[in-house]
Amino acid sequence: MAVLSFPPHAFGAIWLSLSFYILLAVRNLIYRPSALRSVPGPLLAACTHWYTAYFDLVRDGGFLKHLEWLHEKYGPVVRIGPNEADPDAFDSIYGAHSTFVKDPVLYKAFQQDLSSFGLLDPREARKRREILSPLFSRRATLKLEHVIQQKVDKLINRVLRYEGNSPCNIFMAVRSTTLDIIASYCFAQSFDTMDHPEFRHPILLAILSGISVIWTLKYFPFLYYLSERAPGWLMHRISPVSKGYTELFAFLSRHLDSILADPTKLDVADHETIFHHLLHPSTKQHNIPSRKSLLDESLTLLGAGSETVGNVVTTGVFHVFRNKHISNRLMMELDAAWPDRSHSVGFQSLEKLPYLTAVIKESIRMAGVATPLPRVVGPSDVCISGYTMPAGTVVSLGITFVHENRKIFEEPDCFLPERWLGAISKEMESKYFVPFSRGPRMCLGMNLAWCELYLLFGHLFRKIEMEVHNTGIEDFEYRQHWLPVYRKRQLHTRVRTRQ
Ligand code: HEM
């Protein structure tokens, strides 16, 4: 038997590790913040982080589902780690005046420490936001609307090539589009992801599969260190999709280095880009970011700006086209406002359409979003939901717990755009619609996201009739790897031109 051939020193090592973890767990139970002892939750969670790790890693992103069960069992505040709690109090954690900082244990796993998303120091993060915000303001988005529109038009053409043919993979088509949009918007460059047959561009595949490694890097950060130092051929052997990441990194590095070598290239760029802001002389008061920081920022924006919007659009297309009442009502509204499809209708006209707006909000609510967003309490102890959380405690509340809360949204599992039309909807929105989070670290790309969503939803539904093909609601069940990861069938539709 294999076990008999186990070398004796291996048993010794296993015993040693086990004893270490048991001692650590006991220490956590006895010495960790006594105030947290009163927070209800499983004993094992209070002993060790490997409790959440088990669900994140072994149960394939299953902690979010388990957390729902924990809240049902223990109530609105649950202890989920030796030093970690999940209280039902969104504004206390993420509100405008929050002084809590992002938890390094999670955020360092993204390996983008020097980007707007990864900077942990609130002053550094604020400075970076100040530099980039002008490019992501509503005004800037309106100015660059044509950049988005161009890609949306290309998507419509690409999708309509499937008319009378096999079903189109909308899941990948839309994600290819959002990746091309964010690359164009931020760098005035394109990967031409949409041109790839079946929308399976290696860079897109690498970004998608990269989501699933977040938990691994959170619990085993040294793996990133090893992967960075391993020869490329070995990494490609271990994970063939990493070739896409190598391609992405090489593309961004080449582009950045050419600008650093000759900044006048920015003068002839098609439009303003992130580098016009990050390398602008007035930035000197904040210091020009290092090359690593510029690369981190580029990777952050590509990641943050593509999958998020793509996921919302895929979710919306599925729900609208599987419900005749919703698709009819939406098309009637669009046809009335936009009788001639050959004339383009822009963001500012589309955002005035109430039913389209309701459909977009409901798609955002139903699409899984970034969760959890852990924050470290500080600089002093605070009382949250009736419990004292000592400074240093990690707290988080998943956005899904707000958006899928039965006490807030009736029938939260149903796609009901009408919920955003009633008299009460404005109040609901201001209190409970938080897909972009809130406070000092809320989404930087929110205006861009809204513009993309209106143009994508508006043009897809006005110009294309779709029939969902071989995809069911079960295919929208996801595993939470910080972002949702879909393991089942991708949304396919049969398509027909609408006049
Ligand atoms: C529907 C689309 C989107 C959703 C639901 C969304 C949601 C979020 C959320 C919840 C956060 C907070 C993350 C955290 O605290 O860890 C965030 C941060 C961020 N988002 Fe978005 N996002 C979307 C689109 C975009 C786009 C298009 C961009 C492109 C520029 C973008 C760029 C960022 C950045 C840079 C941050 C980090 C901000 C900071 O930490 O200060 N997002 N987003």
Side-chain angles (χ1 to χ4, degrees), residues 195-405:
D195 293 334
H196 204 271
E198 302 302 318
F199 306 106
R200 298 182 66 79
H201 194 287
I203 291 182
L204 177 60
L205 295 180
I207 290 180
L208 284 175
S209 74
I211 301 170
S212 303
V213 298
I214 292 302
W215 295 144
T216 309
L217 293 179
K218 175 183 165 188
Y219 296 103
F220 305 104
F222 63 90
L223 287 178
Y224 184 80
Y225 179 85
L226 291 183
S227 71
E228 265 212 316
R229 278 148 189 83
W233 63 264
L234 182 61
M235 286 313 295
H236 298 162
R237 193 96 189 243
I238 297 170
S239 160
V241 285
S242 66
K243 276 187 192 152
Y245 187 77
T246 311
E247 191 182 325
L248 170 64
F249 200 76
F251 184 102
L252 293 176
S253 306
R254 256 193 328 270
H255 179 58
L256 174 61
D257 290 337
S258 78
I259 292 171
L260 289 176
D262 177 10
T264 60
K265 287 207 168 116
L266 290 176
D267 302 338
V268 292
D270 287 348
H271 55 79
E272 223 176 285
T273 66
I274 56 166
F275 299 120
H276 288 81
H277 293 266
L278 292 164
L279 301 175
H280 193 271
S282 74
T283 305
K284 282 207 171 118
Q285 71 202 42
H286 298 309
N287 295 328
I288 298 278
S290 63
R291 182 179 181 277
K292 159 146 177 48
S293 178
L294 294 166
L295 266 178
D296 279 5
E297 196 62 73
S298 307
L299 285 165
T300 270
L301 292 169
L302 282 179
S306 54
E307 173 59 19
T308 44
V309 181
N311 184 30
V312 172
V313 177
T314 315
T315 305
V317 167
F318 172 73
H319 285 287
V320 168
F321 283 114
R322 78 192 269 270
N323 186 320
K324 269 266 161 283
H325 153 75
I326 296 174
S327 54
N328 285 344
R329 187 167 174 186
L330 179 59
M331 305 226 178
M332 266 168 63
E333 184 185 73
L334 279 166
D335 291 352
W338 185 354
D340 181 355
R341 88 192 270 289
S342 62
H343 288 152
S344 199
V345 167
F347 168 47
Q348 283 175 294
S349 305
L350 291 169
E351 67 177 347
K352 292 195 182 88
L353 302 180
Y355 199 66
L356 175 64
T357 304
V359 164
I360 296 177
K361 283 181 191 159
E362 187 65 347
S363 304
I364 298 179
R365 188 191 68 79
M366 291 283 282
V369 283
T371 288
L373 315 176
R375 300 291 190 262
V376 184
V377 171
S380 43
D381 301 358
V382 290
C383 180
I384 301 181
S385 302
Y387 291 90
T388 302
M389 302 283 164
T393 307
V394 175
V395 288
S396 55
L397 172 68
I399 291 172
T400 45
F401 282 94
V402 184
H403 288 175
E404 292 170 19
N405 191 328

Side-chain angles (χ1 to χ4, degrees), residues 102 107 116-117 129 136 304-305 308 373 375 435-436 441 443 445:
K102 287 187 169 183
Y107 287 94
S116 50
F117 172 78
R129 283 181 81 97
F136 296 105
T308 44
L373 315 176
R375 300 291 190 262
F436 300 100
R441 301 306 297 263
C443 180

Side-chain angles (χ1 to χ4, degrees), residues 415-429:
F415 188 84
L416 299 173
E418 283 73 10
R419 70 171 93 243
W420 300 104
L421 295 173
I424 197 162
S425 71
K426 276 278 158 252
E427 192 193 333
M428 287 234 304
E429 188 178 339

